[in-house]
Amino acid sequence: MTDSAEPVILQALAGNRPDRLPVWFMRQAGRSLPEYRHVRQGVAMLEACLRPDLAAEITCQPVRRHGVDAAVFFSDIMIPLALAGVDVTITSGVGPVFSEPVRDAHDVRRLVERGPGDGSAVVEAVRLSVLELGERTPVLGFAGAPFTLAAYLVEGRGSRDHLAARAMMHADPESWDLLLGWCADISRQFLRWQIEGGARAVQLFDSWAGSLTREDYAAKVAPHSRRALDGIQVPRIHFGTGTGHLLEEMALGVEAIGVDYRTPLDEAARRLPGTVLQGNIDPARLAAGWDALEAHARDVVERGRAAPAHIVNLGHGVPPTTDPQVLTDLVAWVHEQ
């Protein structure tokens, strides 16, 4: 028996099936919304994340427009690094760029001397979001997983195959462990700040872990992701892209696993028995017309019935060119299933 007073996404994260399917979208707060583009005019990305009133406004925008069942906190996985004093900028069309990439043991030792910095702006932004949204629509916190943060730090910017990071992993395992341990600690602190502000669940994103073999992930990365999630006292979702071969290793005792669009949910349910699943509508279908989207979404929902509970989401983030009305219509459709 589910508690109808509890938000549906939290019911699902507890392993129950609520009266309606919960739905939210990764990157729902952002470039696909005209109201987002309006309030972000002339404001750099990292600045927008650290202005509590602006970050809270952007967090709440997709709830007002789409009626989603959760608001994901508007921030960036680079924020913990920036607050720790790392010189990083986010360049349009490029992504994060670091003035001093971490390339050797000396760089790692110098980096890990940094503390997490002042998270008061993060706490306040979440607090303001919770104040507007109330009890029925929880705020979800998030952080980048240690491997993804480390890959950015070592490469100096986004990379397709993360060769420098993977080389360090094997060439200098001691420095690698030190680097990932530090990344885990600042990610965990970022999650804690969001929980302090009122976030009621969190998601750890591992955008780049799909470049790893199963053996390397299990031995050299998973322990650090576990460290990032240790001691987090709200439901935890773990998500990676291109990580179908790593699902079992990514479970890590979390309450839910996010599945990208490459792995059918019934297959994921078979491999992760008893685990709540999140996902996994292909973002490309958002631009394919309603008939194609509805047929695909129906297949996702039906496959999701193999799990104890299912949170509908995309198998990656909302593309910036998405028509917002498509998302609004999709939320209404999911709520009718």
Side-chain angles (χ1 to χ4, degrees):
M1 180 71 68
T2 59
D3 179 5
S4 60
E6 184 84 335
V8 290
I9 190 169
L10 298 183
Q11 293 181 44
L13 286 169
N16 301 310
R17 282 198 169 262
D19 293 338
R20 72 164 193 261
L21 278 170
V23 55
W24 69 282
F25 304 115
M26 290 176 281
R27 294 185 188 158
Q28 64 187 15
R31 295 170 293 176
S32 66
L33 297 183
E35 55 265 43
Y36 166 81
R37 295 191 293 270
H38 174 74
V39 298
R40 268 287 316 279
Q41 282 182 349
V43 183
M45 178 63 180
L46 295 181
E47 179 187 350
C49 295
L50 293 172
R51 281 178 42 182
D53 58 338
L54 183 54
E57 162 62 22
I58 296 170
T59 298
C60 296
Q61 285 176 347
V63 179
R64 299 186 201 120
R65 178 183 276 265
H66 302 312
V68 285
D69 295 302
V72 62
F73 177 51
F74 175 76
S75 191
D76 192 274
I77 64 171
M78 294 294 113
I79 287 295
L81 298 175
L83 290 176
V86 175
D87 187 3
V88 56
T89 57
I90 296 181
T91 303
S92 179
V94 177
V97 178
F98 295 83
S99 62
E100 298 181 350
V102 176
R103 293 288 165 78
D104 55 30
H106 172 72
D107 293 340
V108 171
R109 289 194 299 270
R110 187 172 57 178
L111 175 71
V112 301
E113 292 173 353
R114 299 175 181 271
D118 179 7
S120 57
V122 174
V123 177
E124 178 64 7
V126 178
R127 189 192 70 80
L128 292 173
S129 303
V130 171
L131 191 64
E132 172 169 336
L133 296 173
E135 292 294 316
R136 295 301 299 169
T137 307
V139 174
L140 306 184
F142 78 96
F147 177 77
T148 288
L149 296 186
Y152 274 117
L153 285 163
V154 174
E155 303 287 346
R157 59 179 58 206
S159 165
R160 186 172 63 182
D161 44 24
H162 320 294
L163 287 177
R166 292 192 287 123
M168 178 186 282
M169 178 193 303
H170 294 285
D172 188 352
E174 182 178 351
S175 294
W176 178 257
D177 281 344
L178 195 62
L179 174 60
L180 261 71
W182 183 82
C183 289
D185 289 345
I186 66 164
S187 284
R188 183 175 59 209
Q189 183 59 60
F190 188 46
L191 294 175
R192 286 175 170 169
W193 283 328
Q194 293 168 78
I195 294 165
E196 181 182 344
R200 298 179 68 185
V202 297
Q203 177 163 292
L204 190 70
F205 283 84
D206 216 339
S207 303
W208 305 134
S211 66
L212 299 169
T213 67
R214 185 169 179 169
E215 292 75 14
D216 282 347
Y217 180 84
K220 302 177 182 298
V221 173
H224 299 286
S225 292
R226 187 185 298 276
R227 177 171 170 172
L229 292 165
D230 277 351
I232 298 300
Q233 300 297 314
V234 299
R236 301 157 301 169
I237 307 165
H238 197 190
F239 172 77
T241 55
T243 50
H245 62 302
L246 304 177
L247 289 181
E248 291 84 354
E249 282 70 27
M250 292 183 70
L252 298 177
V254 295
E255 285 69 29
I257 289 290
V259 182
D260 82 0
Y261 59 90
R262 299 168 181 87
T263 303
L265 289 184
D266 51 349
E267 176 188 330
R270 175 181 57 77
R271 292 169 56 189
L272 299 171
T275 301
V276 176
L277 298 181
Q278 178 178 277
N280 65 345
I281 295 170
D282 183 351
R285 304 296 183 108
L286 297 174
W290 179 255
D291 289 347
L293 174 59
E294 181 184 11
H296 173 59
R298 190 176 302 280
D299 182 65
V300 167
V301 167
E302 288 304 315
R303 292 177 186 273
R305 298 191 194 283
H310 176 204
I311 299 164
V312 179
N313 207 311
L314 302 180
H316 201 199
V318 175
T321 55
T322 300
D323 178 355
Q325 188 59 47
V326 173
L327 294 178
T328 303
D329 291 345
L330 183 56
V331 169
W333 182 88
V334 170
H335 284 163
E336 292 171 356
Q337 303 312 303

